[in-house]
Amino acid sequence: MASETQAGPGGAPALPLPPMAWDAWGDPALAKPLSDDIRGLLAAALGVSPLDGDRPTAAEIRLRPSALTGEDVAALAAVVGPEHVSTADADRLPRSGGKSTPDLLRRRSREPQDAPDGVVLPGSEEEIAALLAVCAERRIAVVPFGGGTSVVGGVDPVRGALAAVLSLDLRRFDRLLALDAVSGEAVLGAGVTGPRAEELLAEHGFELGHYPQSFRFATVGGFAATRSSGQDSAGHGRFDEMVRGLRVVTPAGTLDLGRAPASAAGPDLRELFLGSEGVFGVITAVRLRVHPVPAVKIHEAWSFPDFATGAAALREVEQQGTGPTVIRLSDEAETAVNLAMTERIGGEQVTGGCLAVTVFEGTKEQAEARHERTRAVLLAAGGTPLGAEPARAWEHGRFNAPYLRDALLDAGALCETLETATDWANLGRLKDAVAASLQSALTAGGSSSLVLCHISHVYPTGASLYFTVLGAQQDDPIAQWDAAKRAVSDAIVGNGGTITHHHAVGTDHRPWMDAEIGDLGVRILRAVKETLDPAGILNPGKLIP
Amino acid sequence: MASETQAGPGGAPALPLPPMAWDAWGDPALAKPLSDDIRGLLAAALGVSPLDGDRPTAAEIRLRPSALTGEDVAALAAVVGPEHVSTADADRLPRSGGKSTPDLLRRRSREPQDAPDGVVLPGSEEEIAALLAVCAERRIAVVPFGGGTSVVGGVDPVRGALAAVLSLDLRRFDRLLALDAVSGEAVLGAGVTGPRAEELLAEHGFELGHYPQSFRFATVGGFAATRSSGQDSAGHGRFDEMVRGLRVVTPAGTLDLGRAPASAAGPDLRELFLGSEGVFGVITAVRLRVHPVPAVKIHEAWSFPDFATGAAALREVEQQGTGPTVIRLSDEAETAVNLAMTERIGGEQVTGGCLAVTVFEGTKEQAEARHERTRAVLLAAGGTPLGAEPARAWEHGRFNAPYLRDALLDAGALCETLETATDWANLGRLKDAVAASLQSALTAGGSSSLVLCHISHVYPTGASLYFTVLGAQQDDPIAQWDAAKRAVSDAIVGNGGTITHHHAVGTDHRPWMDAEIGDLGVRILRAVKETLDPAGILNPGKLIP
């Protein structure tokens, strides 16, 4: 058997590892322990007390045994070659789920854990098509796997009604397949990670400009499958807005969608696969709008007296189209915590209020003009400029917050994020409702909690709200968070928000999809699913209720 | 029977008439006869010879008798009230098709013509739902009808396998249902026409800014159902980009889609109904992004030595995002004909080449800044400024070209338009291929032809190409155009273009949908259709092959 011959002694992996640590966000070398000051603050403010014992090592983890038979493995190996299949624990464990707080807490368990029954690394669309046929015949579920950064259960090893589940890792789809410098378009393989995409494009003087917090690990295919949104979305758009075309291998055949920059040839079927989370097919390549690497970057931070004033200022900027690449606003609580924790924003001008960050890019002339136009609007809207440094500090640390979460979880705190979006007119109401629901759910167990919020993405008609919640872990922190998540999700859909602005649906938001698109909308998704994946092998239990 | 009691003597209509003339574009009062100079030019250059005889009057037209039974009409009247149903010829004739050249030529026939078997004017979503139930039960096809401006057969009275076909006129959905001035969003009924939308919004200081050539007659529901694109798309986006939400009544239930300015909650189902051309359901209301009425408009025309240079200049403007509201470029042939026909663009600086038109809007400061930035790019790209007048002349006449077509058809010329889009890198190749195919198809019958082209819409990665073709009518001009249309459609899909950039699919482009989205894409559309319209009553024969 491939798995037995390839899994080394002591559980050495037979396949290349995913880019993230199995039990924490990203690269353990970048993890930051908490200072004593912060530990003291957590204890005093939130009643956080240190945990007993250490996290288990990988060697201590017990996985549910692989349910794949020898015949299954042989059939998979016949498609991709034995060197690209494994059922070794060391290959299954790092693909056993995503990186939500419950995911990470589950990974700390010494009870037997679930994991995919095997891992395959196909090398071509033909191999994927053949794998899907094998899996349909042998009743094996398939979870497409990119960077493994999902925070909504999107890569959980759910078998549904099937006998086993396979992780289909797209890391071999790792190339820049085409670059059209005139049209400003690049075709990238689905397994290309964020940094690799920028590296490949930079060789030709281009940039994609998609910088979600998962940037360092997540892949182009994952960005498309989850409707990811990057921190530069004000300037470069959401990922779905960058997509000009995509290729998708489904059990019913392969789709090549997107013929033109715009078309009136019926419904836009790309929009069915953007956000499809692997339930309709496996995205193998994405054609993307790219732009020249900006020559100049200008940073400026701002202070607003309160969140409502700051939000109105951001709205004005976006509705007037003054052109920032990044624009974001922390509420009073988040601003205070950031000030306390980073100690970077000093000086007398910061006396509370709300911190906003702006970044401008382009040629020198473009960046300066965008900066000036935006500056005029922010000044008129009641903002106080704080100079470049706080904005540079934000940019410098912008991918690091999840490392802080790792440290907080280790220290006995409960820390998680969630996000939504709504129209400008509804933003204040939704923010208050979500914050109240979080506070109430987490204090129900007797602990205090801290709810921080920022606007991370703006649109002419509305904005996103990104919440970070901090509290003390109770006896069963997974159940504790589940209850809070249910309450806050009800509050979101009950107050006009979308259940997710950029984290996608996965398992975690699936119960709210009826509220999001209605029963008839769900029936449409099921009809598409039935057409493309009649055996129901693709990512069961995700997205579609 | 409703139809018998309401149709007046002599065929007076029982229902309010659609906004367009039954046998020509728009309002006959605005039709412009050709000058003798132009008649001479047509005869000399293209061999156009005057037609024998006059066009038939409405009274001379014989319609196929209504296939609706008395029971059918009674059942429809029970839903909407007898005053909102008619089977009178005078109501059926003006809803018997769209306004393509073949449509208009067919309408000139003295042979019996097809028409919907009846017309209903529902007043609420509940009435539409009840009508769809009645039609499913009685095997009656339903063609949603807005302004009747389709140029692709989108409102043709096709029965498919059904007994009869009903025109469902949405004119009673004619209200501004909500306006959110903070978020910049308005909800408009599907039957609101372009001018009425602007009138309703202007009362609150807002503008939609959607100005397709059909603006004066077409409706908000039609814009959504066909993925319309307006002449101000560089500034305000395509209609599909303006849509934040829509309501659709289908035989399987009613959908209310679009909860947030952006969402990652799975596939974007709005994009299935944008461009759905009435085959999935009846769009009743659209939530749209609106913006303040611009304070200032700046016009400037430009000349470029040739099309390739001009196209490269437009590309640079769009890729740099300098912000014109309108930017378009005529090729050498179109520039020459416009100069000959309008006699407005005088002076020594115009000696052929290619005319470009730019318009800038916003506050005074915004419009001036956008103008200056764009001007710098166009100058650097080899353009020669021609001042405001030619751009103002274009704007003044921008909705009038179809009236000219009416006059040309009367004079014995064949005149039609078609459009496509592709990436910038492929634009020249596609333009040449389409022009060659049109020339070749039309000269095959022995006549000369003139093919004009302009770029009407630009995107960072590509642009649209809009062709106007002029020739002499042969004995059977409908067959003559059908052959040319088939050839040019093959050339479009064979050279990387989309089969339609903004005219939609209807009956005319349906045979090329397989090439556009693939067999599997077509199967997806069929699956959605089967879920929402299992009886197959909605607009049979359109969009889906």
Side-chain angles (χ1 to χ4, degrees):
Chain A
M1 291 301 91
S3 59
E4 287 162 25
T5 55
Q6 279 158 42
L15 305 175
L17 285 175
M20 301 183 99
W22 67 277
D23 62 342
W25 183 263
D27 179 353
L30 294 176
K32 294 189 179 178
L34 299 182
S35 69
D36 287 345
D37 282 358
I38 288 175
R39 285 175 195 272
L41 204 64
L42 289 171
L46 299 173
V48 172
S49 50
L51 299 178
D52 297 333
D54 288 331
R55 282 150 59 176
T57 64
E60 292 172 301
I61 297 294
R62 287 178 294 154
L63 288 191
R64 167 178 162 154
S66 171
L68 290 178
T69 65
E71 283 180 4
D72 290 335
V73 176
L76 298 170
V79 173
V80 294
E83 69 279 21
H84 295 124
V85 188
S86 174
T87 55
D89 286 359
D91 293 309
R92 296 162 60 214
L93 176 61
R95 295 171 179 92
S96 58
K99 302 294 177 184
S100 70
T101 292
D103 287 336
L104 297 178
L105 292 171
R106 271 191 291 270
R107 212 112 323 133
R108 289 159 190 238
S109 166
R110 290 169 196 271
E111 297 301 307
Q113 296 188 23
D114 203 358
D117 297 296
V119 180
V120 282
L121 270 64
S124 69
E125 289 187 351
E126 292 69 28
E127 287 185 6
I128 293 178
L131 282 174
L132 296 182
V134 165
C135 289
E137 194 197 321
R138 308 190 75 89
R139 309 280 301 150
I140 301 169
V142 175
V143 180
F145 189 94
T149 63
S150 174
V151 290
V152 295
V155 291
D156 280 8
V158 179
R159 289 166 190 79
L162 304 180
V165 59
L166 194 64
S167 180
L168 191 157
D169 190 323
L170 286 145
R171 65 181 301 137
R172 293 174 67 200
F173 290 74
D174 60 355
R175 290 173 51 215
L176 172 64
L177 300 164
L179 180 80
D180 172 352
V182 172
S183 308
E185 286 185 303
V187 183
L188 286 162
V192 177
T193 64
R196 183 68 182 141
E198 294 301 355
E199 205 172 274
L200 290 165
L201 292 169
E203 288 172 16
H204 303 270
F206 284 91
E207 186 199 31
L208 179 56
H210 183 66
Y211 298 107
Q213 205 164 54
S214 60
F215 169 74
R216 289 184 181 140
F217 310 102
T219 58
V220 163
F223 294 148
T226 60
R227 291 187 177 269
S228 171
S229 191
Q231 293 165 353
D232 295 15
S233 69
H236 303 310
R238 297 166 59 83
F239 195 79
D240 50 22
E241 295 174 307
M242 300 177 185
V243 173
R244 286 289 164 270
L246 26 77
R247 292 184 60 87
V248 192
V249 179
T250 82
T254 296
L255 288 149
D256 185 3
L257 296 169
R259 281 181 74 80
S263 173
D268 189 343
L269 294 181
R270 290 175 301 191
E271 299 281 351
L272 265 184
F273 294 91
L274 292 166
S276 63
E277 303 185 20
V279 308
F280 294 154
V282 180
I283 295 170
T284 57
V286 186
R287 196 166 81 252
L288 291 157
R289 189 178 84 200
V290 295
H291 56 266
V293 174
V296 170
K297 248 187 185 184
I298 298 171
H299 300 78
E300 190 166 40
W302 292 78
S303 178
F304 288 92
D306 54 58
F307 185 77
T309 305
L314 266 62
R315 172 169 70 82
E316 201 62 34
V317 163
E318 180 64 11
Q319 290 183 342
Q320 292 195 23
T322 62
T325 303
V326 176
I327 187 161
R328 35 198 297 133
L329 173 75
S330 293
D331 72 356
E332 292 85 348
E334 189 173 283
T335 301
V337 168
N338 281 342
L339 292 177
M341 292 182 75
T342 70
E343 292 169 22
R344 279 179 181 268
I345 305 167
E348 283 166 38
Q349 75 259 56
V350 187
T351 56
C354 291
L355 178 72
V357 164
T358 59
V359 183
F360 307 88
E361 288 182 359
T363 61
K364 183 167 181 295
E365 200 182 358
Q366 286 172 333
E368 284 174 357
R370 289 165 184 164
H371 177 219
E372 280 315 306
R373 290 198 300 270
T374 306
R375 195 166 214 281
V377 173
L378 295 180
L379 276 175
T384 306
L386 301 180
E389 182 47 33
R392 284 217 189 89
W394 166 80
E395 190 179 73
H396 180 75
R398 67 170 163 168
F399 303 128
N400 292 341
Y403 291 110
L404 181 59
R405 181 184 56 166
D406 288 336
L408 287 165
L409 294 180
D410 282 347
L414 185 70
C415 175
E416 183 57 305
T417 64
L418 55 89
E419 34 77 63
T420 180
T422 191
D423 294 344
W424 288 112
N426 190 47
L427 202 69
R429 179 174 78 110
L430 179 62
K431 179 176 185 288
D432 292 346
V434 171
S437 149
L438 279 170
Q439 293 283 13
S440 148
L442 286 169
T443 51
S447 72
S448 301
S449 68
L450 188 60
V451 178
L452 319 177
C453 179
H454 63 259
I455 293 177
S456 52
H457 305 266
V458 291
Y459 304 92
T461 58
S464 68
L465 291 170
Y466 188 98
F467 294 89
T468 303
V469 58
L470 258 175
Q473 286 183 36
Q474 295 169 3
D475 289 347
D476 183 347
I478 296 177
Q480 179 191 3
W481 179 249
D482 276 357
K485 178 77 179 176
R486 271 198 305 279
V488 75
S489 297
D490 287 341
I492 284 173
V493 302
N495 287 280
T498 176
I499 191 64
T500 170
H501 168 267
H502 62 268
H503 282 171
V505 178
T507 53
D508 296 7
H509 294 140
R510 187 170 167 247
W512 289 271
M513 279 298 279
D514 268 311
E516 184 82 23
I517 60 173
D519 165 62
L520 191 52
V522 171
R523 284 173 55 200
I524 293 170
L525 295 184
R526 286 194 191 127
V528 175
K529 170 83 171 171
E530 176 63 29
T531 301
L532 298 177
D533 178 25
I537 58 170
L538 280 164
N539 223 6
K542 319 293 166 61
L543 180 61
I544 306 176
Chain B
M1 291 302 92
S3 58
E4 286 164 24
T5 53
Q6 279 159 39
L15 305 174
L17 284 175
M20 302 183 99
W22 68 277
D23 62 342
W25 183 265
D27 178 355
L30 294 176
K32 294 187 179 177
L34 299 183
S35 68
D36 286 345
D37 281 358
I38 288 175
R39 285 175 194 274
L41 204 64
L42 289 170
L46 299 173
V48 171
S49 51
L51 300 177
D52 297 333
D54 288 333
R55 281 151 60 175
T57 63
E60 291 172 301
I61 296 295
R62 286 177 296 154
L63 288 192
R64 167 179 161 152
S66 171
L68 291 178
T69 65
E71 283 179 3
D72 291 334
V73 176
L76 298 170
V79 173
V80 294
E83 70 279 21
H84 295 125
V85 188
S86 173
T87 56
D89 285 1
D91 293 309
R92 296 162 59 213
L93 177 60
R95 295 171 179 93
S96 58
K99 302 294 177 184
S100 70
T101 293
D103 287 336
L104 297 177
L105 293 170
R106 271 191 293 269
R107 213 113 322 136
R108 288 156 191 240
S109 166
R110 290 170 197 273
E111 298 301 308
Q113 295 187 24
D114 202 358
D117 297 296
V119 180
V120 282
L121 269 65
S124 68
E125 289 187 351
E126 292 68 28
E127 287 185 6
I128 292 179
L131 282 174
L132 297 182
V134 165
C135 289
E137 194 197 321
R138 310 189 75 88
R139 308 282 298 150
I140 301 168
V142 174
V143 180
F145 189 94
T149 62
S150 174
V151 291
V152 294
V155 291
D156 280 8
V158 179
R159 288 166 192 78
L162 305 180
V165 58
L166 193 66
S167 180
L168 190 157
D169 189 324
L170 286 145
R171 65 180 302 137
R172 293 174 66 201
F173 290 74
D174 60 354
R175 290 173 49 216
L176 173 64
L177 299 165
L179 180 80
D180 172 353
V182 172
S183 308
E185 287 185 303
V187 183
L188 286 162
V192 177
T193 64
R196 182 69 182 139
E198 294 302 355
E199 206 173 274
L200 290 165
L201 292 169
E203 288 173 15
H204 303 270
F206 284 92
E207 186 199 30
L208 178 57
H210 184 66
Y211 298 106
Q213 206 164 52
S214 60
F215 168 73
R216 288 184 182 141
F217 310 102
T219 58
V220 162
F223 294 148
T226 60
R227 290 186 177 271
S228 171
S229 192
Q231 293 164 354
D232 295 14
S233 69
H236 303 309
R238 297 166 58 82
F239 195 78
D240 49 23
E241 295 174 308
M242 299 177 186
V243 173
R244 287 289 164 269
L246 25 78
R247 291 184 61 88
V248 192
V249 179
T250 83
T254 296
L255 288 150
D256 184 3
L257 297 169
R259 280 181 75 79
S263 174
D268 189 343
L269 294 181
R270 290 174 301 190
E271 299 282 350
L272 265 183
F273 294 90
L274 292 166
S276 62
E277 302 185 20
V279 308
F280 294 153
V282 180
I283 295 170
T284 56
V286 186
R287 196 167 81 251
L288 292 156
R289 190 178 84 202
V290 295
H291 54 266
V293 173
V296 169
K297 248 187 184 185
I298 298 171
H299 300 78
E300 189 165 41
W302 291 79
S303 178
F304 288 91
D306 53 59
F307 184 78
T309 305
L314 267 61
R315 172 169 71 82
E316 201 62 34
V317 164
E318 179 64 10
Q319 290 183 342
Q320 292 196 23
T322 62
T325 304
V326 176
I327 186 161
R328 36 198 298 134
L329 173 75
S330 293
D331 72 355
E332 292 85 348
E334 188 174 282
T335 301
V337 167
N338 281 343
L339 291 177
M341 292 181 76
T342 69
E343 291 169 22
R344 279 180 181 267
I345 306 168
E348 282 165 40
Q349 75 260 56
V350 185
T351 57
C354 291
L355 178 72
V357 164
T358 58
V359 183
F360 307 88
E361 288 181 359
T363 61
K364 183 165 181 295
E365 200 183 357
Q366 285 172 334
E368 284 174 358
R370 288 165 183 163
H371 178 219
E372 280 315 306
R373 291 198 299 270
T374 306
R375 194 167 215 279
V377 173
L378 295 179
L379 277 175
T384 306
L386 301 180
E389 182 47 35
R392 284 216 189 89
W394 166 80
E395 190 179 72
H396 178 76
R398 68 171 163 168
F399 304 127
N400 292 340
Y403 291 109
L404 181 60
R405 180 184 57 168
D406 288 336
L408 287 164
L409 293 179
D410 282 346
L414 185 71
C415 176
E416 182 57 305
T417 65
L418 55 90
E419 35 75 62
T420 180
T422 191
D423 293 343
W424 288 113
N426 190 46
L427 202 70
R429 179 175 79 111
L430 179 62
K431 177 175 187 287
D432 291 347
V434 171
S437 150
L438 279 169
Q439 292 283 10
S440 149
L442 287 168
T443 52
S447 71
S448 300
S449 68
L450 188 60
V451 178
L452 320 177
C453 180
H454 63 258
I455 293 177
S456 51
H457 305 265
V458 292
Y459 305 92
T461 60
S464 68
L465 292 169
Y466 189 98
F467 295 88
T468 304
V469 58
L470 258 175
Q473 286 182 34
Q474 295 169 3
D475 289 347
D476 184 347
I478 296 177
Q480 179 191 2
W481 179 249
D482 276 358
K485 177 77 179 176
R486 271 196 307 277
V488 75
S489 297
D490 287 342
I492 285 173
V493 301
N495 287 280
T498 177
I499 191 63
T500 171
H501 168 267
H502 62 267
H503 282 172
V505 179
T507 53
D508 295 8
H509 294 140
R510 188 170 166 248
W512 288 271
M513 279 298 280
D514 268 312
E516 184 82 25
I517 59 172
D519 166 60
L520 190 52
V522 171
R523 284 173 55 201
I524 293 171
L525 296 185
R526 286 194 191 126
V528 175
K529 170 84 171 170
E530 176 64 28
T531 302
L532 298 178
D533 178 26
I537 57 170
L538 280 164
N539 223 6
K542 319 293 165 62
L543 178 61
I544 306 175

